[in-house]
Structure formats: structure tokens, C-alpha cells
Amino acid sequence: MKNYKIETKCVQGGYRPGNGEPRQIPIVQSTTFRYETSEDMGKLFDLEASGYFYSRLQNPTCDTVAAKICELEGGTAAMLTSSGQAANFYAVFNIANCGDHVVCSSTIYGGTFNLFAVTMKKMGIEFTFVTPDCSEAELEAAFRENTKAVFGETIANPALTVLDIEKFAKAAHAHGVPLIIDNTFATPVNCRPFEWGADIVTHSTTKYMDGHGAAVGGCIVDSGRFDWMAHAEKFPGLCTPDDSYHGIVYAEKFGKEGAFIYKATAQLMRDFGSTPAPQSAFLLNLGLESLHVRMERHCANALAVAKYLESHEKITWVTYAGLESSPYYALAQKYMPKGTCGVVSFGVKGGRRAAETFMKHLKLAAIETHVADARTCCLHPASATHRQMNDEELIAAGVSGDLVRLSCGLESADDLIADLAQALETV
């Protein structure tokens, strides 16, 4: 479906049934797969043949949905994971190991920050965090001899900063490393990072792709453009023999189009087992079929809400890249001219206590540790997703005590604004 538009790919990408086959993708609810001979199965274990032997590594339902997301992003290979956290971990750990270094935007999601700054630090991987608004010189200064990747989010959660993808891609490539972009908030409907120089894209499919709060999941997509062998000394895991697979060199056997995902599947999924359930993949596909329709409504509602809040006397500031007053408006127009996302961040006058009072009185918007749902929800990040951070880290992440993150759902914009209005009256 290479030449079809993204709306068509959302509906029909990844799966085309043959004559008499199921119109909807089948749920292959099986842990294992039968073979006639040990030789047949041996070829799978040697990566000499394609197929399935154990669903901890691969499953037909999951691979079908991964293929759709791959088409949406314009990549060459993709894999599903059990969560967005697993996707980000695999994407980095696939090429960065103990003793290595990664350059990362400082405004990334709090859970990802903890994964990188705390857990992966214990594994011997060090991260240098730079503001997404840094100058080219400041970005350049963050690199080291042992840097293996650059990581950022298209739209940061919840700071809503917009990453200058071309700037970060240029810096990454100048140092012979890939740019990994978490494209969860924008989705490929509104931004396709590969078109701007990114090399690997990740998603928390739990968010807009699922869209209904039904299934946790993640995805990694490879652009197939980064030449691993050209920088073989930096990426021995891809460019030297893997003893656990009889000396296979992934970059040689699968080329730059498939090496990254083959290694992440055959090695990391085998060993860590962050496996998505086939049923979850099936539910994800249902969400993907309407993604292009929902994103337009999410963005329209968020823009209407942002404009209302911007003029309200009890709101001290509003962050939404779709507002012309936003410092990220120009970048948003460049990378996401059709719209950004449905999430608005703002500060309630009176600080943390006022923000908590406001949230208690919302009726339509539910307080949830979630975002990007068909139903409007909100969160006070400093008390929830970012509560493990100290004040200095909160400031670096763009999270203040008065910040409320509102994820605008698919309801009437008029009803959402009326709900905000009555809640603000209590502040």
C-alpha cells in the first residue's frame, strides 16, 4: 500500500486477506507453533527462515499490526512491545550498552526520564539531558566519544515542547549515531519523523493509536536508512558476530533495512520477553482504523480549549503549540501543519493548591494517569507521573507545581469548555 494516503493505510494497512480469508485480522491466541521436523524448526532458531515458533518472540497477529504501523511511519521494519516503556528501553538498549552514552532531550515524559536517568544508569549507560531549545553549539557540546544515540519526543509529555527534529538529526548524524524519536503524541497522522531525518521511531500505542484506554502497548519502527556498517566500531552488537545465534552479523545478514528490528526481536525480546498479547494487538488495530479521524477531532477540541484558557483571568499560562502565541508555533507549523495533539498544559493562578482544587471540581474530565483517550482526562504531573523528580529535575522537565495536563477527548468542545468554566469558578 506504499502509494496510498495515510488515511487508507490506517484502515487497510498491514493486512490484505486472500480469497475466503477473514476480513478482520485473526487473533492467533497460541503460545507455540507446530512443525513437521526438527530441521524445520532449527532453521527458525538459526534465523535462516521466517516463521513462528514461540509467541514470546513473534506472533502473527502482533506482526500484522506492527506492519501497519510501519506503513504509517514509512519505515522498513517494526515490532510491537508490551508497553511504550519497553519500546523506548529496547530502542536504546539495542545499540547502547554498559559504558555507553546517550544524548537526550530533557523534557521527555517522566516515566522515560526515570528509565534513562535511574534504571539504565544502574546498567552503566549514562544520559546527558539537554533542553530541546538548546543552540547547535550546546547540543554539540553534549556529545562524547562513546555516544551511541540521540533521543527526543516529537511533542514532549507534558511540557508540550516541540522538538526541532532536523536540528537534532543533523547533530546525531554528524557524530555517526541515530536519532530516536518518540512520536506518541503527534502520531504518524500529524508527523512522520523519518521525513525529517529521524532514524528510529517509538510509540506508546496505549495512547492515541489505541485511543480507547483498552490495551497497553508499544512499537518500534526502523526507517531502514541508518548505515550501521558505516559506523561498525560504534555498534558492535549489530556489526560483529552474535555468539547466541551462531555468529550472525545482523547488519550483514539483514541489511540496514532490517538489522535493528531483527536484533531487537531475536535478542532483546528473547531475553527480556516484553511481549504484547495477540488480543491487545487486535484491539490496537481497531484503534488504528480510526486514528486519522480521531486525531483531527482531538486537535480541534484542544485548540478551542487552549484559546479559551488563554483568555481566562484565573489561568496564568497556557502551553499548546497550535496557539499563535506559542514559542513552538513555527516549529509546529513546519513539522505538524495538520495539527499537533489533543493535550493542553496550563497553570492555574494560585499554584499547586489551586490546581488541585480546580481538578477536584471537574465533572467531564476525569483524573487519570492516562492521556490521549477518546474521553477527556487530566493529571497534575508534579503529584503523579513526575513525583519522583526533585525540584531541579521538575524545572528541567518543564513541569511546574501549578501545571495541569488536560487531554481533550472527542466530546463536544462546548461541553469541555463549560466544564472548565465551572471548575475554575471554585478556585
Side-chain angles (χ1 to χ4, degrees):
M1 302 190 73
K2 183 177 180 180
N3 297 322
Y4 287 103
K5 294 188 180 298
I6 199 163
E7 294 86 351
T8 303
K9 292 178 180 178
C10 281
V11 179
Q12 295 202 33
Y15 175 66
R16 189 168 184 83
N19 189 43
E21 293 182 343
R23 188 64 190 90
Q24 183 56 275
I25 66 171
I27 302 173
V28 182
Q29 194 66 50
S30 180
T31 60
T32 50
F33 302 83
R34 177 184 178 275
Y35 287 89
E36 294 290 342
T37 69
S38 296
E39 288 78 11
D40 289 337
M41 183 170 284
K43 292 177 182 178
L44 299 176
F45 276 90
D46 287 344
L47 304 183
E48 294 294 338
S50 60
Y52 302 93
F53 56 86
Y54 197 49
S55 281
R56 188 178 78 235
L57 279 83
Q58 288 179 287
N59 174 278
T61 307
C62 298
D63 281 359
T64 298
V65 181
K68 173 178 282 192
I69 297 174
C70 189
E71 287 186 23
L72 293 176
E73 285 288 6
T76 57
M79 64 185 292
L80 295 189
T81 61
S82 59
S83 68
Q85 282 288 79
N88 284 335
F89 171 66
Y90 281 17
V92 174
F93 197 64
N94 205 32
I95 51 177
N97 302 139
C98 182
D100 289 336
H101 172 258
V102 176
V103 176
C104 185
S105 171
S106 63
T107 58
I108 58 172
Y109 167 61
T112 309
F113 182 93
N114 289 332
L115 169 66
F116 291 168
V118 180
T119 302
M120 294 188 76
K121 184 177 181 180
K122 294 177 182 177
M123 301 171 72
I125 303 172
E126 191 170 353
F127 291 76
T128 294
F129 295 92
V130 297
T131 171
D133 304 326
C134 66
S135 66
E136 291 185 4
E138 290 170 329
L139 181 56
E140 174 69 22
F143 284 85
R144 303 176 186 175
E145 285 295 320
N146 60 338
T147 299
K148 296 300 177 69
V150 179
F151 185 95
E153 295 176 345
T154 312
I155 305 172
N157 174 17
L160 299 183
T161 55
V162 176
L163 194 75
D164 189 341
I165 300 172
E166 283 191 315
K167 179 178 76 174
F168 277 74
K170 178 182 177 182
H173 296 159
H175 289 269
V177 301
L179 173 61
I180 303 171
I181 293 289
D182 185 329
N183 197 33
T184 296
F185 266 21
T187 81
V189 171
N190 286 341
C191 182
R192 289 169 32 119
F194 294 156
E195 296 176 356
W196 301 100
D199 302 290
I200 307 293
V201 159
T202 64
H203 286 277
S204 170
T205 62
T206 318
K207 310 305 190 296
Y208 287 119
M209 285 187 167
D210 171 271
H212 300 86
V216 174
C219 186
I220 309 172
V221 186
D222 184 6
S223 69
R225 296 173 186 168
F226 192 86
D227 191 345
W228 305 104
M229 290 302 291
H231 310 282
E233 74 286 352
K234 283 183 174 289
F235 306 105
L238 286 163
C239 302
T240 60
D242 180 357
D243 293 337
S244 69
Y245 275 108
H246 310 292
I248 280 177
V249 178
Y250 294 98
E252 289 180 352
K253 185 171 183 62
F254 304 109
K256 61 184 181 180
E257 295 83 9
F260 188 90
I261 295 298
Y262 262 98
K263 178 179 180 293
T265 301
Q267 192 182 85
L268 301 188
M269 191 64 84
R270 175 197 65 191
D271 294 343
F272 291 101
S274 299
T275 311
Q279 179 71 42
S280 295
F282 178 85
L283 293 172
L284 168 58
N285 186 63
L286 293 180
L288 288 169
E289 289 178 352
S290 64
L291 180 63
H292 57 295
V293 179
R294 291 185 287 105
M295 286 307 296
E296 183 176 353
R297 181 60 174 266
H298 281 298
C299 292
N301 279 356
L303 183 58
V305 163
K307 288 180 177 178
Y308 167 76
L309 292 171
E310 190 176 37
S311 62
H312 200 286
E313 60 180 8
K314 292 184 180 180
I315 299 297
T316 53
W317 55 270
V318 179
T319 298
Y320 187 67
L323 292 172
E324 293 184 13
S325 59
S326 169
Y328 299 102
Y329 182 76
L331 280 177
Q333 291 300 300
K334 173 182 177 178
Y335 293 120
M336 295 164 278
K338 294 193 297 184
T340 55
C341 66
V343 182
V344 180
S345 290
F346 56 93
V348 181
K349 189 174 291 185
R352 185 169 188 151
R353 181 167 295 181
E356 292 173 346
T357 299
F358 160 76
M359 290 176 62
K360 287 178 183 177
H361 288 86
L362 289 168
K363 297 177 180 178
L364 273 179
I367 299 175
E368 301 176 18
T369 310
H370 192 42
V371 70
D373 199 328
R375 296 161 291 269
T376 295
C377 55
C378 66
L379 191 72
H380 184 242
S383 300
T385 53
H386 291 64
R387 70 180 297 117
Q388 289 82 13
M389 292 184 177
N390 59 39
D391 290 343
E392 185 177 301
E393 290 170 337
L394 284 171
I395 292 171
V399 178
S400 55
D402 63 344
L403 186 153
V404 174
R405 182 189 71 185
L406 183 73
S407 175
C408 298
L410 303 179
E411 304 92 345
S412 161
D414 292 340
D415 289 340
L416 294 181
I417 290 171
D419 189 32
L420 296 173
Q422 64 84 23
L424 284 169
E425 288 179 2
T426 67
V427 175

